[in-house]
Amino acid sequence: MPGSHDALFKAAFGLPENAAALACCSLSKSLRACFDWTTMRSISGSFVDEELRHRHADLLFEVATEYGSAFVYLLLEHQSTNDPRMPLRMSRYMDRIWSRFERDNPSSLLLPPILPLVVCHAPEGWTSPCGFHDLFRADLLEHAPELARHVPAFELIVDDLRRTSDDDLTSRALSAFAKVALWLLRDGRIGSRLLEKMPAWVGLLEGLPLPSLKAIVSYLAGVTSDPRIWTAFRANLHEQAPSAEKDVMTLAEQWFREGEAKGEAKGEAKVLTKLLTLKFGELSEHQRARLTSASIPELDQWAERVLFATTLEQVFGL
């Protein structure tokens, strides 16, 4: 499921115009006016800790201001319970962004500001601290203001989708694809809610390009296999987005066929790994990787060779 969240988030908001519109939804009017959003461009790379990649996806953008450039950092929070240490983790990510900026711009003596925007779709909504000072004893910082001056201070901007209403999503100045992405991120974990809210967004699929439809279908297929949801999805498509119905259902059938093929290949690879280990001993990481990434025809061919091969090289045809 986390991979589905990441893929949909990046497909929708990896586009600078969608990311700019998403950021504007969470900023005050005066803060929005500080930026020239038409200049927004994506910056490659991820700053999330490797062990947390399954719970978070991130995107970084650079945008111009009247006084130089700034960064907009989007972090998707999709773990089942949000992290009370998020400001501390965000401080690490911001440090990595500034460190890379320093490396890439050694002659610059000034750093660009960073807007740390967290998009949260945890089921219970955002319950964690937003300010870095919130991680310290409030009475200590309150009664020792001189000490507080020496403690870093910044606040997260949180877009809490779980507490965002249908009307708010509808009124956001976002593209149709971006709106559907937020709707799905908000409701996709809960089958009953996904079913209930589906009529509100299905009509937005009318006229969407094929890559956007593919991202939506892949997400739905990744989070649910409930036939009631797919039946309702098709019925809503037929009524509200008839021109998209054929493409969407073709993509869905293709996704499930590919999923079945991957499942079959995974099962064959597991059996073949066991046979090879019993006959030749422990396999190397490279050999295990070859097995897990192999196609069914390759696995069938290697399985036939196991009977007569005396070395692993003979099995793999090396």
Side-chain angles (χ1 to χ4, degrees), residues 9-195:
F9 181 71
K10 289 179 177 179
F13 299 106
L15 302 173
E17 58 271 26
N18 285 349
L22 179 67
C24 285
C25 293
S26 300
L27 304 181
S28 66
K29 184 178 179 180
S30 59
L31 189 51
R32 290 198 302 269
C34 292
F35 303 94
D36 180 359
W37 297 102
T38 64
T39 67
M40 195 151 169
R41 67 183 186 93
S42 60
I43 305 294
S44 62
S46 174
F47 302 88
V48 174
D49 297 321
E50 187 65 37
E51 67 273 16
L52 297 176
R53 294 278 173 83
H54 67 290
R55 301 192 310 199
H56 306 282
D58 63 334
L59 295 165
L60 180 66
F61 300 89
E62 185 177 21
V63 61
T65 76
E66 184 179 353
Y67 305 100
S69 65
F71 288 129
V72 177
Y73 185 54
L74 303 182
L75 182 70
L76 177 68
E77 165 80 13
H78 59 66
Q79 63 190 94
S80 56
T81 56
N82 53 82
D83 189 346
R85 295 289 181 128
M86 179 62 83
L88 178 61
R89 288 210 350 259
M90 181 64 81
S91 71
R92 298 191 192 109
Y93 305 156
M94 293 167 73
D95 177 66
R96 291 168 191 171
I97 294 170
W98 279 318
S99 295
R100 192 171 79 170
F101 176 85
E102 184 181 37
R103 182 196 67 204
D104 295 342
N105 302 272
S107 62
S108 178
L109 299 179
L110 300 175
L111 297 174
I114 299 173
L115 280 179
L117 173 59
V118 177
V119 181
C120 174
H121 66 119
E124 78 285 6
W126 185 260
T127 59
S128 295
C130 290
F132 196 76
H133 274 195
D134 295 336
L135 302 184
F136 300 84
R137 286 189 57 134
D139 54 352
L140 175 60
L141 297 185
E142 181 181 346
H143 289 91
E146 287 296 315
L147 174 61
R149 289 177 54 195
H150 301 289
V151 177
F154 70 88
E155 289 188 6
L156 304 176
I157 304 164
V158 178
D159 188 351
D160 189 352
L161 297 180
R162 191 66 186 86
R163 295 187 173 91
T164 301
S165 68
D166 293 346
D167 288 341
D168 182 66
L169 284 179
T170 300
S171 64
R172 289 190 177 194
L174 296 169
S175 70
F177 177 39
K179 286 185 181 182
V180 172
L182 292 182
W183 237 301
L184 291 175
L185 289 171
R186 188 192 70 176
D187 301 333
R189 293 167 180 259
I190 306 170
S192 59
R193 187 175 174 86
L194 181 60
L195 203 58

Side-chain angles (χ1 to χ4, degrees), residues 239-300:
E239 181 178 342
Q240 298 188 52
S243 67
E245 181 183 2
K246 182 179 179 181
D247 285 339
V248 167
M249 298 318 296
T250 299
L251 287 168
E253 291 170 7
Q254 179 183 344
W255 198 97
F256 283 116
R257 283 199 303 269
E258 290 175 354
E260 289 174 356
K262 288 178 182 177
E264 184 180 349
K266 184 177 180 181
E268 287 196 27
K270 184 176 181 180
V271 172
L272 184 55
T273 299
K274 186 174 183 178
L275 290 174
L276 291 172
T277 302
L278 288 171
K279 186 168 184 177
F280 299 108
E282 193 63 32
L283 305 182
S284 68
E285 288 298 319
H286 174 69
Q287 290 161 343
R288 287 180 175 275
R290 286 198 69 186
L291 288 164
T292 56
S293 62
S295 64
I296 290 178
E298 286 178 315
L299 293 168
D300 288 342

